[in-house]
Amino acid sequence: MRTLLVWLAGGGLFAGSLQTALANGWNMPVGVTELSGDIYSLHMIIFWICVAIGVVVFGVMFYSLFRYRHSKGAKAANFHEHTLVEVVWTAIPLLILIGMAVPATATLKKMYDASDADLDVMVTGQQWRWRYEYLGEDVAMTSNLATPRTQIRGEEPIDESANYLLEVDEPLVLPVGQKVRFLFTSDDVIHSWWVPDLAIKQDTVPGFINENWVRIEEPGIYRGQCAELCGVDHAFMPIVVHAMEEEEFETWLADRREAAEQEAMGIDREWEMDELMTRGEEVYNAVCVSCHQQDGSGNEPAFPALAGNQEMLDDRDWHIDTVVNGVSGAAMPAFSNTLNPVEIAAVITYERNAWGNDSGDTVQPSEIAELLSD
Amino acid sequence: MAPKVPPQPTLEQSTTAAAGHGHAHEAPPKGLMRWLLTTNHKEIGTLYLIFSLTMFFVGGIFAMVVRAELFQPGLQLVQPEFFNQMTTMHGLIMVFAAVMPAFTGLANWMIPLQIGAPDMALPRLNNFSFWLLPVAFTLLLSTLFMPGGAPNFGWTFYAPLSTTYGPPSTTFFILSLHIAGISSILGAINIIATILNMRAPGMRMMDMPLFVWTWLITAFLLIAVMPVLAGVITMMLMDINFGTSFFDAAGGGDPVLFQHLFWFFGHPEVYIMILPAFGIVSAIIPTFARKRLFGYASMVYATAAIAILSFLVWAHHMFVVGLPLVAELFFMYCTMLIAVPTGVKVFNWITTLFRGSISFEPPMLFALAFVVLFTIGGFSGLMLAIAPADFQYHDTYFVVAHFHYVLVPGAVFAIMAGVYYWLPKWTGHYPNERLAQWHFWLSVIGVNLTFFPMHFSGLAGMPRRIPDYALQFADFNLVASLGAFMFGASQLLFVAVVVLCVRGGRKAPGRAWEHAEDLEWSVPSPAPLHTFDTPPKFERSSH
């Protein structure tokens, strides 16, 4: 009897400390959608089932280890094989599993119903950034890691207030209360778009389109990361979702549409070297830096150096073609979908004139636009 | 003139009554040649075990590099390129060069002894299977020194990261895996041939020790899935070098096809690494509980059930890859079902302990830790089976925690339990008990410090295979790294125990453990080079 009490107290203490641990951010988030709540509940049910089975099984085990010690003169019994016992311990787990499969099936069915969406967003994974396209809205953007490389490399201290590795230059903005359908694909390798608070993790597979959906219930900023190993900078392609009220979202969307039109108008005019260099440096540091490095030194053999790259400087057309269309069979992606003509022109100009490169020539947005329209 | 090749079994030998005597005139080659040419199952078993232990440390060093980099946020020691090579090589080496050869080594040593056979059925093939391994893994390790570095796409080498985007060394990696795969298939053929044909007269299948049974089933799994692995890596080879597009969507291929094929191999592979462990634990627990195993027959059936189910669950590794709903449901249900036969095993071990007379020698310590910690890995496995929840768990540290619980305190502890259990038979000496206890307790504490916090960091949102992480994961990672260093360092004690035991120690009798019943305990300790030249008389008392 005393032993039983000790075991019960021990079990209670164990369960209590687990409960405390799980309540303190050591657990799956409940999230901000109905489905994320459902998934959290499934997780907790199966977790407590496991704890309960564990308490019984390990209870009997440790009781036996303690009670039937050879050193205390225990004499072994000689029983073995008992059909009823064996049937029972096969049947009970089976029943528990059936009980678990029912709610799991229901939740899974809901997750797979992406019909009747209010908004479609195309999510494209690319080494190592995300591209978001609001389908039918003429708004698209590319989302890059915002944490400075210098902090990652330890050249300056980590800014603890700035969401280290979980901050981007362009968050995905979504309306609260609407059903948003995501279409996932990839330009290169398989990535996986994961935001724990939305309970969405979906692989982006090159050449194929996957589907998932969300209806966010609370405005807020929700962070996640790529969850499928996708190369060198797998750790450095975070996801930030900014969920806002519907009217606010509509205003934002209209502003973005207008900004895109403005940018499109800039394509036709002649750009100065200084403007292109400034813009180009921004683009380079957001998009190119992870492979070709801040000083253009690259990382041979996969990522060639750009600083002092004579082949590149001598052949301007080849340089443009490489950035626009990528290199087939190598790590260099095509940027024709990711960057707009102004950005492409600016970054090529920058590469041709930075770090001691002295081509002295500019690439104009109009040239790129013409190339792309062919 | 002394023969340059090892002695061949002859009719004369197999009828020689006294072990050892008939061979005095056939002096084996000396030095290195002896080991290169040996066809003796005990010597080959020893080679496998030494190779496995060496690779366990090589893979362990890679793990230490990973944990050192993850000790705190930021990149301190290695760059992401090298970090990815370390995680990849750690996984490949541990799976294919440490755990699998360790079980094959134990099988070589113990299966003939446990079924009363004089050797393996195909001794020269046995020699060849072993010597393929050093070739395979020298090749694999050499990729670390190649331009572009070693494979860096994870041990699962998903296309197109490993094909279109892989380093130049990928082709060497494929060749190395082919060689290791051939070694596994040949080893499996040998084990099946031995078990089916060479049991002592009177020993029926249902009289075989469970280690033999689990290995028989494992060998069939190997023969079934290793060719699938060979197929998928050959398709990679074609994609990389010969312009095919099996896995390249741009050429009409399908990257997800790779995952189906890989996991059709990969899931049975997981059981290949755990079924023999069940067999070892099922031998040790009755010995030290001084009570026969509760349900021998149900253990055999449960092992077979797990093996069959292992072919029906592969896509639970792919729940978020975009499978249709019916596929998700099918694979979820089948995966949950595996909990039933696995539960039967755990219940059997615990009922064997119940009302036994239990002592805690080193093999028993490791076997008991196996039961507890493997079961914890089973629990997280059950959680991962719940497909909707897997959308949150998938590819996080929760998964890392899960499979390390079943592989380290699961498979590796069972191997160590087996080594402690059979060392007296191999060397004639008991292992140093005090050192073994230190090894045990440091390992148990280290392994839990390493892998338990990973459950929490995974649930809290940390993806696997990242060299740097957000600040909220810092505490979990610090603890995990300290635990890993502790676990890694304490394995040096294991080497010390084994070396000391080979060199000396308390003499062990033939039946080194009082209540041990299988046939291996009927021969002297250390077991002479040739045993059971005359088939033993098998008495049906043990089961």
Side-chain angles (χ1 to χ4, degrees), chain A residues 43 70 74 105 112 164 201 299, chain B residues 81 323 357-358 393-394 468:
Chain A
H43 158 67
H70 184 64
T105 304
Y112 267 75
Y164 178 68
K201 183 185 285 130
N299 204 342
Chain B
E81 299 92 282
L323 299 178
S357 175
I358 301 161
Y393 305 137
H394 184 84
D468 194 8

Side-chain angles (χ1 to χ4, degrees), chain B residues 31-79:
Chain B
L32 188 64
M33 288 314 278
R34 170 184 165 192
W35 294 101
L36 264 175
L37 300 178
T38 181
T39 54
N40 180 288
H41 73 102
K42 300 184 184 76
E43 289 183 337
I44 293 174
T46 303
L47 286 173
Y48 265 108
L49 290 170
I50 292 171
F51 176 79
S52 157
L53 186 61
T54 312
M55 287 296 141
F56 181 60
F57 277 91
V58 172
I61 288 167
F62 298 158
M64 294 303 113
V65 173
V66 168
R67 283 318 321 172
E69 179 52 54
L70 292 172
F71 186 73
Q72 65 183 73
L75 297 175
Q76 288 87 25
L77 298 171
V78 297
Q79 291 304 304

Side-chain angles (χ1 to χ4, degrees), chain A residues 67-342:
Chain A
R67 174 76 175 69
Y68 305 114
R69 276 172 293 174
H70 184 64
S71 60
K72 299 289 172 195
K75 291 272 176 288
N78 190 26
F79 64 85
H80 63 92
E81 276 165 6
H82 188 291
T83 311
L84 180 65
V85 170
E86 293 181 68
V87 168
V88 166
W89 74 32
T90 310
I92 290 181
L94 202 59
L95 293 176
I96 295 175
L97 290 175
I98 292 171
M100 197 60 223
V102 173
T105 304
T107 304
L108 204 57
K109 278 185 169 167
K110 275 200 265 180
M111 291 166 75
Y112 267 75
D113 180 13
S115 59
D116 298 325
D118 304 309
L119 176 69
D120 287 339
V121 177
M122 186 88 185
V123 177
T124 307
Q126 195 187 66
Q127 288 181 323
W128 289 276
R129 63 190 64 84
W130 299 99
R131 178 173 163 77
Y132 302 116
E133 196 176 342
Y134 295 79
L135 296 179
E137 305 285 347
D138 290 331
V139 173
M141 61 215 196
T142 304
S143 183
N144 294 286
L145 174 75
T147 304
R149 297 269 154 181
T150 46
Q151 288 187 19
I152 296 170
R153 282 197 298 261
E155 287 155 15
E156 60 173 318
I158 291 171
D159 181 352
E160 301 201 1
S161 61
N163 292 302
Y164 178 68
L165 297 187
L166 294 179
E167 197 60 271
V168 296
D169 54 358
E170 287 269 21
L172 172 67
V173 178
L174 293 178
V176 164
Q178 294 204 333
K179 184 165 183 175
V180 180
R181 181 173 70 142
F182 295 111
L183 299 170
F184 296 98
T185 190
S186 168
D187 283 348
D188 37 51
V189 301
I190 300 175
H191 305 268
S192 193
W193 196 84
W194 178 35
V195 180
D197 278 312
L198 310 187
I200 289 189
K201 183 185 285 130
Q202 197 73 60
D203 285 1
T204 69
V205 182
F208 292 80
I209 293 179
N210 280 330
E211 205 181 51
N212 209 321
W213 66 276
V214 73
R215 191 192 299 276
I216 303 175
E217 286 167 357
E218 284 171 41
I221 292 173
Y222 308 111
R223 297 173 196 279
Q225 282 179 267
C226 177
E228 180 63 62
L229 178 62
C230 55
V232 176
D233 274 1
H234 167 51
F236 307 128
M237 52 184 294
I239 297 149
V240 179
V241 173
H242 187 177
M244 49 178 67
E245 297 295 350
E246 207 183 325
E247 310 87 80
E248 207 182 336
F249 171 74
E250 291 300 338
T251 319
W252 176 85
L253 200 62
D255 288 351
R256 291 304 293 239
R257 208 177 287 130
E258 197 178 330
E261 281 160 15
Q262 290 277 323
E263 182 97 337
M265 288 188 330
I267 290 172
D268 296 333
R269 72 179 172 85
E270 185 82 3
W271 286 56
E272 297 294 321
M273 171 69 100
D274 287 351
E275 290 178 283
L276 287 169
M277 286 298 280
T278 313
R279 187 68 191 276
E281 189 174 3
E282 285 169 21
V283 176
Y284 185 88
N285 285 334
V287 176
C288 313
V289 68
S290 55
C291 300
H292 294 289
Q293 306 303 320
Q294 203 136 22
D295 57 1
S297 61
N299 204 342
E300 303 282 1
F303 310 122
L306 304 182
N309 184 331
Q310 210 50 49
E311 189 188 3
M312 177 184 94
L313 292 177
D314 289 345
D315 193 343
R316 185 167 172 279
D317 289 342
W318 176 82
H319 189 182
I320 294 172
D321 178 64
T322 303
V323 175
V324 171
N325 297 318
V327 179
S328 140
M332 179 73 186
F335 282 98
S336 52
N337 287 324
T338 317
L339 301 176
N340 66 35
V342 175

Side-chain angles (χ1 to χ4, degrees), chain B residues 388-431:
Chain B
D390 187 65
F391 276 75
Q392 293 281 41
Y393 305 137
H394 184 84
D395 260 328
T396 68
Y397 261 84
F398 191 80
V399 177
V400 178
H402 159 71
F403 69 72
H404 279 96
Y405 261 86
V406 290
L407 280 175
V408 185
V412 172
F413 273 25
I415 292 165
M416 285 170 173
V419 169
Y420 281 124
Y421 186 59
W422 286 311
L423 263 176
K425 180 55 60 194
W426 302 338
T427 66
H429 309 120
Y430 286 102

Side-chain angles (χ1 to χ4, degrees), chain A residues 342-363:
Chain A
V342 175
E343 290 166 332
I344 294 175
V347 81
I348 297 174
T349 307
Y350 178 73
E351 286 169 359
R352 299 182 70 74
N353 296 287
W355 329 291
N357 287 356
D358 54 357
S359 70
D361 53 22
T362 64
V363 176

Side-chain angles (χ1 to χ4, degrees), chain A residues 30-89:
Chain A
V30 183
V32 290
T33 72
E34 186 195 333
L35 274 172
S36 72
D38 289 353
I39 289 174
Y40 174 80
S41 305
L42 282 175
H43 158 67
M44 291 314 289
I45 294 169
I46 188 75
F47 171 72
W48 286 117
I49 288 175
C50 289
V51 170
I53 297 173
V55 167
V56 173
V57 169
F58 298 144
V60 175
M61 181 175 173
F62 283 100
Y63 173 81
S64 304
L65 294 183
F66 184 77
R67 174 76 175 69
Y68 305 114
R69 276 172 293 174
H70 184 64
S71 60
K72 299 289 172 195
K75 291 272 176 288
N78 190 26
F79 64 85
H80 63 92
E81 276 165 6
H82 188 291
T83 311
L84 180 65
V85 170
E86 293 181 68
V87 168
V88 166
W89 74 32

